Structures are given as structure tokens and as C-alpha cells.
């Protein structure tokens, strides 16, 4: 619970405050004082009479009633302090800096639980333990540096790690990124990242609150809460970017399907972020760069003008933007000549616009004005200007400051000379601007923003899916073993039919004559597949383009000799582009749905996109379009594309099936065969697990 005493305390007591500013207890007091805290500040230190100019109490029993207590003492003393202060001194908010709790030992976890029990009993807010503290415009209750520039429209930053929060702040400060608040939740025993987002969502005021939230997450304790409140905040006008660390390991159980092998916990995170509309970042620099982009005016479109006085950075930026799917349109013809006439001889105006190392502040202003008024297809302007040692940068940055404030199009300042032109850059930042010192990092961050879809509709699409039939089939399945079992092909076929997913006519039997009769009835050529082994191709259990009864008979005999073979499936042979859809159930997240190119390409290329069930049509299209191989699906080099609408429809129907059949823990539909008219499931496996 987040309360007034935590956010706007009229009084604060630091238990363990000291005169040694090189220790947490002293550093917290220093930051509270230097931050201009306006309330009553109290210190408890049994060995000091005065701490940094403030009279110290030798015992907590001497302290008057206080709103907020900051504990910087050994872990073993924290539970008794919390209980006493809450019961006797009416403290209703605690920030516990101390470490040595659940992050270290079982005994520490027990101490942490005692603290939580006391806080819950008295209705107290709890930040930590094991954190750097809380930084707001009211009080700087942190023991670390740097203390970033704070203003109401700055960024709200929430971190699960104290040390990482400091490093992210370091990165942000050098860019000029302003902050409104910094939350280091530590172990998050009561208030985790999800709880902070919940509070920000439920108390959101568009006129008063920050519209940018940055997150560093090590553990998603409540995916549903994170999804709900992040989505809600974004729909209210906020923008959110996050790093999720520790997502590279696959699940603890060895997966037996293609989907299980690829759908790690990272896939679940990716799917959750896509569904919420959270921009995913993978480094501190990328996160703070995205944060800086969020402070600039929003713009639609992907066309950029680049103004530079150094050719190389302009080329690298052009390459990086193009790689990310954005455009740097060429400037040609009469317009190009008009601009060139106003610049120094030798300047290039093709875009990037190179005003040369001898270009002045005046030339920069001319180039920016031209992009603003005479290049209607340009959505934003990027300016690269460091120090070639030939111009006065204060004058250049004065012009840049003026143009950023005047122009309708957003301007991205790329000022790389943070060392040789440190004073000039700092003066520019003090005027309320940000700086993207590396052009490629900027392009990478822009790419992440551009490819992040808007928050998805949370409603389940039922149309065409027979939910009662699905439940009847699932309820009738009795898999053996704790890990469940792959269900028989006929049950797979029934489930897909109930979901409205088209399948190739097929027949399964252990009797050769029955298989031959079906093949003759459906017509050659046919496909034969062994039933039993999970990975059919690996054991030679797939035969394609069988054109006669004799060949099918021979293949039947061969496949029935394969270890674990129980029957043979025969299908009508059809052709098309091979696609893949799969799903895996992730604890707490639900079903992660994957799509991509099918057949062996699933294993070789691993070009898949993930979504979190249930999926909307917009999400399905976004998943398809985000594939690296999307050009193949769209049609390329004379090849016709697939029916995207039907592919998206099958993805949505599958996600609805999973929504009402959580007993399905893994499934593959691989391949689906697609052409301009149809998308048809050819082979599928479903593993069902029922836990008592």
C-alpha cells in the first residue's frame, strides 16, 4: 500500500543516521538535507549527539510520533524497530535500506516476513528491504548519487535493483533526462513494481503527473497486474519502456516440442510487453535513450532528415535507420539546388545534408529551416554537431535551442563531443534539452519504439470457436503421468475442428488395408507419417508425394518397424508455403503463442514472433508483420504471397482454444500450408497435462 506518509511525509526519522557520509546512514541524511526536505527531520544514533547539524536521539523511545522511518541498521534489528515504531510512534511508512533478508538466507526471509506482518497489522507502507530508497520532489530518501534533475514532467523510474538503478541514473544524467521520481523497490516484499504502477494508474492526473515511465525488472511477480495497469496508463497517454533482466534461460523442464524448445520465459516477457504496448529495451543506454525520445514531441511517420557537419556519423545514422525500417529520403532537383546555394561550396544536400566542418551556426539554421518548411515528407530532423574546432559551439547550440522550440517537427540533437565540448553541452542540457550522443544507439531505440504496437484489446474473440465442444473433448482426456501426454491424432483433429482451424483430411490406422483404402478414396499423391515418435522427421517417419498403392504399402511396412510406432497416418498431399503456429503454457503468464515460417525452418532459423493469449486480430497481424521472413509471406521474386487474413484468423482461433483449455501445455501446428486462398493445418501435436 502506498500512502501519504510515504509520498509526502511531514516528518522523517532516520534510524542509523550518522555523520559519515561515506556510509548509507550518513549519505541518506546528506541527501535529505541537500534535497531541501521541508518537514521535520529526526535522527536516531546511540553514539552521536548531533548528526550533520541535527540533534540526534540516542534511542527510538525518545522520538516523537513520526510519519516515515528510514532504517539503515543491521537486518536483525529491523523487525523490532518496525513493530515498535508502528505501534508506539504512529509511523505509517517505512523505507528499509538494509540488506541481509530474503535475497541472502532463509533466516533473512523470516525477518522480512516479520516486517511485512507488522506493516500489514498497522496499515504501513513498506519500500524494500534491500533497496537504495525513494527519490521524489518532496524528499530525497536515497543514499546514492547521482541525484538527477527533478521536475513534475520528468520520468518516473521504477527499479527492482538498487545498484542497477544507480547505473541507469548515471546514463540518464549525461543525456539530460529529467526525472519526477525514482522508486527502488528492492525485494519488493509489499510494494513491487506492479504495485507502483497500480498506484500511478489509479491516481493518474494527466495535467499533474509524468507521462513517461521507465522500468528495470528482475522478476515479474504478477504479470496480470503489470499488463492491466501498464495498458491502462498507456491508453491514458503515458509511454512506458522497460528492461526485463534474467529472461534468457529456458523453462526448467526439458521441452519435447519445437514450441517448448523455443518458448522460454523470455518469449512470455516479449509477448506480455507487446500486448501491453511497453517498449522493450535490452541495455541501460537503450532504456535512457528511449526515455529521452519520449520527452520529445510525438510524431507519426518514418521519414527523417539528417543534418551533419561530419560525413561518417551521417552515413552510420542513415544505415541504422534504414536497417530499422525507417527512411532517409533523397533530396533532389530544384529544391536541392535551392538549399545548396545557401550553404558553403562543397556541401552535400542529398540527405544526409552535410554542411561541412566549416559550417557555422547560420548554416545550421538555414538547413533546419529548409527541412521544416520545404521538405513536407519529412517527419523529424536529426542534427549531428560536435566540435571540429572551427566554430563557436555556444553559438551553434543557441541556434539549435531556438529551432527546437520553434519548429513543428521534432529535432533530435546528436552532440557527440561530451568531452571536448563538455561546457557547451552542459549549457545546452540546462536549457531543458536532451542529448543523444551516439547516433546508432538513437536509431536502435527509435526502431524499438516504432515496432512496438499499441496496447491490445483484452477481449476474447469467440466467433467460430465451439467452446462447449472444446471443453467436452478436454474433459474426456485422461493423460498419464505428471508431465501429461501427447493426445492421439484423432483428438487433435477434433480440437482443431472445434476451434474452426481447417485441417487436411487424414486417416490413422495400424491396419495396412485401411490406410490403403483411404488413400485410394482421397486420391494420390498422399503423405504418410508414423504415429508414436514425437519427432517424426528425425526417425525417418515422413514420406512425401507417394503416388501409388505399392509405394504406400512399402512405406507402411517400413514405418511400422520404427521404434515406438503405433500406427500410420495418411493425408492428401497438398502444396504451399510452410507456416508454423505453436503455444506453450508459462506459469503466471498463461499461454505464449508463437508463429513463423514452418517446416524445418522453425528449428534452423527460429524466426518466430510471440503473443500472449488471448489474441486480437490486430495482435495477430502485428506478430506476422514482425517476422524477419515476412517478405516471403507477402510474396517476393515472382512468388505469390499467402492469405494473411486466414493466417491471422487461425492464430486468433488457436489463442481462443487455449484460453478455454489451459490443460494444454504445449502444442505445435507444423506445418500449415498456405497459398493465396487457404491456410490449412497439415500436422499438429498437443500435450495435455491435468494436475490434481
Amino acid at each position: 500500500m502506498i500512502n501519504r506518509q510515504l509520498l509526502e511525509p511531514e516528518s522523517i526519522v532516520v534510524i542509523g543516521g550518522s555523520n559519515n557520509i561515506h556510509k548509507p546512514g550518513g549519505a541518506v541524511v546528506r541527501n535529505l538535507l541537500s534535497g531541501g526536505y521541508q518537514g521535520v527531520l529526526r535522527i536516531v544514533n546511540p553514539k552521536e549527539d548531533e548528526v550533520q547539524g541535527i540533534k540526534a536521539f540516542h534511542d527510538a523511545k525518545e522520538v516523537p510520533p513520526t510519519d516515515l522511518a528510514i532504517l539503515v541498521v543491521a537486518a536483525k534489528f529491523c523487525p523490532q524497530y518496525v513493530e515498535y515504531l508502528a505501534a508506539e510512534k504512529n509511523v505509517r511508512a517505512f523505507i528499509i535500506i538494509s540488506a541481509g533478508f530474503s535475497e541472502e538466507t532463509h533466516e533473512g526471509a523470516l525477518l522480512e516476513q516479520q516486517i511485512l506482518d507488522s506493516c500489514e497489522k498497522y496499515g504501513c507502507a513498506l519500500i524494500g528491504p534491500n533497496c537504495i530508497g525513494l527519490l521524489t520532489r518532496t524528499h530525497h530518501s536515497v543514499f546514492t548519487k547521482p541525484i538527477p534533475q527533478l521536475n513534475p514532467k520528468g520520468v518516473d523510474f521504477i527499479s527492482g535493483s538498487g545498484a542497477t538503478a544507480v547505473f541507469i541514473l548515471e546514463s540518464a544524467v549525461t543525456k539530460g533526462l529529467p526525472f519526477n521520481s525514482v522508486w527502488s523497490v528492492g525485494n519488493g516484499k509489499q510494494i513491487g513494481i506492479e504495485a507502483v504502477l497500480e498506484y500511478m494508474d489509479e491516481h493518474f492526473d494527466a495535467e499533474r503527473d509524468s507521462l513517461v515511465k521507465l522500468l528495470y525488472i528482475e522478476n515479474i511477480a504478477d504479470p496480470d497486474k503489470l499488463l492491466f495497469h501498464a495498458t491502462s496508463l498507456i491508453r491514458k497517454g503515458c509511454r512506458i519502456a522497460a528492461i526485463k533482466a534474467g529472461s534468457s534461460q529456458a523453462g526448467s523442464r526439458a521441452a519435447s516440442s519445437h514450441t517448448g524448445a523455443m518458448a522460454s520465459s523470455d518469449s512470455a516477457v516479449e509477448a506480455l510487453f507487446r500486448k501491453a504496448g511497453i517498449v522493450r529495451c535490452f541495455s541501460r543506454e537503450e532504456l535512457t535513450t528511449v526515455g529521452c525520445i519520449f520527452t520529445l514531441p510525438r510524431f507519426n511517420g518514418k521519414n527523417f532528415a539528417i543534418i551533419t557537419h561530419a560525413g561518417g556519423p551521417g552515413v552510420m545514422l542513415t544505415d541504422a535507420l534504414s536497417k530499422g525500417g525507417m527512411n532517409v529520403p533523397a533530396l533532389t532537383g530544384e529544391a536541392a539546388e535551392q538549399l545548396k546555394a545557401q550553404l558553403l561550396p562543397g556541401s552535400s544536400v542529398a540527405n544526409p545534408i552535410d554542411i561541412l566542418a566549416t559550417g557555422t551556426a547560420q548554416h545550421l539554421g538555414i538547413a533546419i529551416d529548409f527541412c521544416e518548411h520545404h521538405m513536407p515528407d519529412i517527419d523529424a530532423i536529426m542534427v549531428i554537431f560536435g566540435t571540429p574546432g572551427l566554430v563557436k559551439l555556444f553559438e551553434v547550440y543557441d541556434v539549435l535551442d531556438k529551432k527546437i522550440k520553434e519548429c513543428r517537427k521534432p529535432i533530435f540533437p546528436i552532440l557527440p563531443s561530451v568531452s571536448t565540448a563538455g561546457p557547451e553541452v552542459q549549457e545546452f542540457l540546462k536549457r531543458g534539452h536532451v542529448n543523444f550522443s551516439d547516433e546508432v544507439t538513437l536509431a536502435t531505440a527509435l526502431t524499438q519504439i516504432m515496432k512496438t504496437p499499441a496496447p491490445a484489446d483484452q477481449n476474447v474473440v469467440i466467433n467460430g470457436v465451439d467452446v462447449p465442444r472444446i471443453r467436452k473433448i478436454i474433459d474426456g482426456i485422461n493423460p498419464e503421468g505428471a508431465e501429461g501426454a501427447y493426445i492421439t491424432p484423432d483428438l487433435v483433429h477434433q480440437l482443431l475442428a472445434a476451434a474452426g482451424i481447417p485441417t487436411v483430411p487424414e486417416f490413422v490406422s495400424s491396419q495396412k488395408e485401411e490406410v490403403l483404402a483411404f488413400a485410394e478414396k482421397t486420391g494420390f499423391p498422399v503423405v504418410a507419417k508414423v504415429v508414436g515418435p514425437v519427432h517424426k522427421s528425425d526417425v525417418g517417419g515422413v514420406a512425401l508425394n507417394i503416388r501409388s498403392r505399392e509405394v504406400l504399402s512399402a512405406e507402411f511396412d517400413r514405418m511400422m518397424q520404427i521404434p515406438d510406432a503405433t500406427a500410420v497416418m495418411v493425408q492428401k498431399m497438398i502444396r504451399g508455403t510452410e507456416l508454423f503456429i505453436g503455444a506453450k503454457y508459462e506459469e503466471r503468464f498463461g499461454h505464449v503463442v508463437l508463429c513463423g515460417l514452418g517446416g524445418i525452418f522453425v528449428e534452423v532459423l527460429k524466426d518466430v514472433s510471440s503473443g500472449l493469449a488471448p489474441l486480437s486480430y490486430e495482435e495477430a497481424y502485428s506478430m506476422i508483420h514482425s517476422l524477419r521472413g515476412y517478405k516471403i509471406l507477402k510474396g517476393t521474386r515472382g512468388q505469390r504471397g499467402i492469405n494473411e487474413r486466414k493466417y491471422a484468423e487461425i492464430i486468433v482461433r488457436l489463442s481462443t482454444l487455449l484460453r478455454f483449455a489451459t490443460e494444454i501445455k504445449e502444442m505445435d501446428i507444423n506445418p500449415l500450408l498456405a497459398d493465396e486462398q487457404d491456410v490449412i493445418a497439415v500436422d499438429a501435436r498437443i500435450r495435455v497435462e491435468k494436475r490434481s
Side-chain angles (χ1 to χ4, degrees):
M1 58 175 293
I2 297 173
N3 54 24
R4 177 197 63 79
Q5 290 88 343
L6 179 65
L7 297 178
E8 298 177 353
E10 295 178 2
S11 53
I12 298 175
V13 59
V14 181
I15 309 294
S18 74
N19 285 306
N20 188 345
I21 61 172
H22 300 293
K23 292 186 176 181
V28 168
V29 176
R30 175 202 62 198
N31 288 342
L32 283 164
L33 292 173
S34 62
Y37 173 61
Q38 297 298 305
V40 178
L41 180 58
R42 302 179 174 119
I43 312 294
V44 173
N45 186 316
K47 298 179 181 179
E48 301 281 356
D49 294 326
E50 186 177 283
V51 170
Q52 298 184 45
I54 300 173
K55 178 184 178 299
F57 297 95
H58 291 168
D59 194 299
K61 294 177 182 179
E62 303 170 9
V63 177
T66 306
D67 280 348
L68 167 65
I70 303 171
L71 272 57
V72 200
V73 294
K76 63 182 179 180
F77 300 123
C78 288
Q80 62 196 61
Y81 269 120
V82 171
E83 176 66 27
Y84 177 79
L85 291 168
E88 302 298 330
K89 302 301 179 179
N90 204 35
V91 172
R92 289 297 175 263
F94 290 90
I95 297 173
I96 301 182
I97 304 293
S98 315
F101 293 92
S102 63
E103 79 281 1
E104 290 189 8
T105 64
H106 174 68
E107 291 74 19
L110 296 177
L111 295 176
E112 195 172 287
Q113 186 60 46
Q114 290 179 45
I115 291 170
L116 179 63
D117 291 343
S118 294
C119 287
E120 296 295 320
K121 180 167 62 174
Y122 295 104
C124 303
L126 171 64
I127 293 289
N130 185 34
C131 68
I132 64 169
L134 173 63
L135 176 64
T136 72
R137 287 178 289 116
T138 301
H139 60 103
H140 296 182
S141 296
V142 295
F143 71 90
T144 55
K145 286 186 175 183
I147 303 295
Q149 175 188 347
L150 297 174
N151 69 61
K153 294 301 179 182
V155 171
D156 288 320
F157 173 42
I158 314 166
S159 176
S161 165
T164 306
V166 172
F167 302 148
I168 290 172
L169 289 174
E170 292 272 9
S171 171
V173 166
T174 61
K175 296 179 176 66
L177 180 63
F179 285 78
N180 176 56
S181 67
V182 176
W183 298 69
S184 166
V185 300
N187 294 354
K189 189 63 177 179
Q190 182 199 71
I191 299 173
I193 289 173
E194 298 92 338
V196 179
L197 280 180
E198 179 181 30
Y199 182 87
M200 291 178 174
D201 179 25
E202 293 179 348
H203 296 81
F204 182 73
D205 183 334
E207 297 299 320
R208 182 194 66 205
D209 294 340
S210 168
L211 298 179
V212 180
K213 320 293 181 188
L214 301 183
L215 315 176
Y216 174 80
I217 307 171
E218 291 187 340
N219 176 53
I220 301 178
D222 192 336
D224 287 340
K225 181 181 282 190
L226 178 64
L227 174 62
F228 180 85
H229 293 292
T231 298
S232 177
L233 282 165
I234 292 170
R235 286 182 173 153
K236 290 173 181 176
C238 292
R239 307 180 84 178
I240 302 178
I243 295 173
K244 170 60 179 78
S247 296
S248 59
Q249 288 186 342
S252 58
R253 181 183 55 80
S256 56
S257 69
H258 299 304
T259 304
M262 290 183 296
S264 66
S265 57
D266 189 62
S267 301
V269 172
E270 183 74 24
L272 176 65
F273 283 12
R274 286 175 62 86
K275 199 173 193 71
I278 297 172
V279 176
R280 189 173 188 189
C281 300
F282 296 90
S283 71
R284 301 189 303 270
E285 287 299 308
E286 191 175 343
L287 181 69
T288 54
T289 301
V290 169
C292 289
I293 295 171
F294 283 168
T295 67
L296 300 181
R298 293 195 187 213
F299 64 96
N300 295 317
K302 297 182 178 181
N303 294 332
F304 294 87
I306 299 172
I307 302 171
T308 180
H309 68 160
V315 173
M316 288 191 289
L317 179 54
T318 301
D319 289 344
L321 290 171
S322 300
K323 183 179 178 182
M326 289 165 278
N327 309 310
V328 183
L331 177 61
T332 58
E334 185 178 338
E337 295 303 318
Q338 181 184 347
L339 174 59
K340 194 167 187 177
Q342 301 177 69
L343 301 177
L344 293 173
S347 298
S348 172
V349 296
N351 195 19
I353 299 166
D354 187 350
I355 63 175
L356 304 180
T358 50
T360 65
Q362 180 185 5
H363 295 124
L364 176 63
I366 289 169
I368 292 175
D369 286 342
F370 191 89
C371 296
E372 170 76 1
H373 300 295
H374 302 290
M375 297 179 73
D377 294 335
I378 292 300
D379 302 301
I381 304 165
M382 295 180 165
V383 175
I384 304 173
F385 213 110
T387 171
L390 302 174
V391 296
K392 294 181 178 179
L393 278 185
F394 281 117
E395 295 178 1
V396 173
Y397 293 167
D398 280 343
V399 169
L400 187 55
D401 168 58
K402 181 181 178 211
K403 296 303 178 184
I404 288 174
K405 294 172 181 175
E406 288 179 352
C407 289
R408 177 185 55 84
K409 296 174 182 177
I411 297 176
F412 293 79
I414 303 168
L415 316 179
S417 302
V418 293
S419 176
T420 56
E424 293 92 334
V425 172
Q426 287 304 311
E427 179 62 30
F428 178 78
L429 297 181
K430 286 178 182 178
R431 299 184 185 187
H433 301 301
V434 294
N435 174 32
F436 306 95
S437 60
D438 184 85
E439 59 279 350
V440 175
T441 302
L442 169 59
T444 302
L446 269 171
T447 300
Q448 288 297 101
I449 293 171
M450 294 292 188
K451 76 178 188 181
T452 302
D457 186 355
Q458 302 293 319
N459 295 325
V460 182
V461 181
I462 301 293
N463 185 33
V465 178
D466 189 344
V467 175
R469 177 63 180 157
I470 289 170
R471 284 310 318 165
K472 185 177 181 181
I473 297 168
I474 292 291
D475 290 340
I477 297 172
N478 293 302
E480 297 179 0
E483 294 298 324
Y486 282 95
I487 62 176
T488 58
D490 63 311
L491 289 174
V492 172
H493 198 276
Q494 290 177 41
L495 281 172
L496 296 182
I501 298 173
T503 56
V504 178
E506 64 184 35
F507 180 75
V508 178
S509 178
S510 60
Q511 303 300 313
K512 183 194 296 189
E513 288 304 318
E514 293 180 353
V515 169
L516 295 173
F518 176 84
E520 290 181 330
K521 179 181 178 181
T522 195
F524 291 98
V526 296
V527 177
K529 301 176 183 178
V530 68
V531 175
V534 173
H535 297 293
K536 300 176 178 64
S537 297
D538 293 349
V539 295
V542 179
L544 306 176
N545 202 28
I546 299 173
R547 294 183 173 274
S548 68
R549 177 186 176 93
E550 290 74 22
V551 174
L552 178 57
S553 176
E555 287 292 348
F556 180 93
D557 292 338
R558 181 184 66 81
M559 289 183 184
M560 289 301 291
Q561 299 303 312
I562 294 174
D564 299 323
T566 59
V568 171
M569 174 195 295
V570 63
Q571 296 173 320
K572 177 68 178 176
M573 179 78 179
I574 61 173
R575 298 185 183 278
T577 300
E578 291 190 343
L579 306 177
F580 161 82
I581 302 177
K584 180 172 181 281
Y585 187 83
E586 281 285 335
E587 289 295 334
R588 296 181 290 117
F589 287 84
H591 283 99
V592 180
V593 179
L594 305 178
C595 74
L597 290 172
I600 62 171
F601 294 108
V602 176
E603 298 176 60
V604 176
L605 300 181
K606 292 183 171 59
D607 178 19
V608 296
S609 180
S610 61
L612 202 60
L615 295 167
S616 65
Y617 281 96
E618 290 76 12
E619 287 179 278
Y621 281 116
S622 176
M623 289 168 64
I624 295 168
H625 294 166
S626 68
L627 293 167
R628 295 192 303 275
Y630 173 64
K631 288 183 179 179
I632 297 174
L633 306 186
K634 193 176 181 180
T636 185
R637 299 179 70 93
Q639 298 294 319
R640 294 180 177 180
I642 70 162
N643 189 320
E644 276 188 46
R645 180 186 61 80
K646 289 196 174 182
Y647 190 24
E649 184 176 279
I650 291 174
I651 293 171
V652 173
R653 287 175 180 271
L654 175 67
S655 80
T656 303
L657 161 66
L658 297 168
R659 171 65 179 78
F660 293 100
T662 56
E663 296 90 342
I664 295 175
K665 301 306 178 186
E666 280 183 34
M667 72 175 296
D668 293 332
I669 306 179
N670 182 33
L672 298 98
L673 291 178
D675 57 23
E676 289 178 288
Q677 283 77 39
D678 294 308
V679 180
I680 299 175
V682 176
D683 195 7
R685 291 174 298 174
I686 297 177
R687 188 177 67 83
V688 171
E689 178 184 328
K690 292 184 175 181
R691 295 177 180 175
S692 57

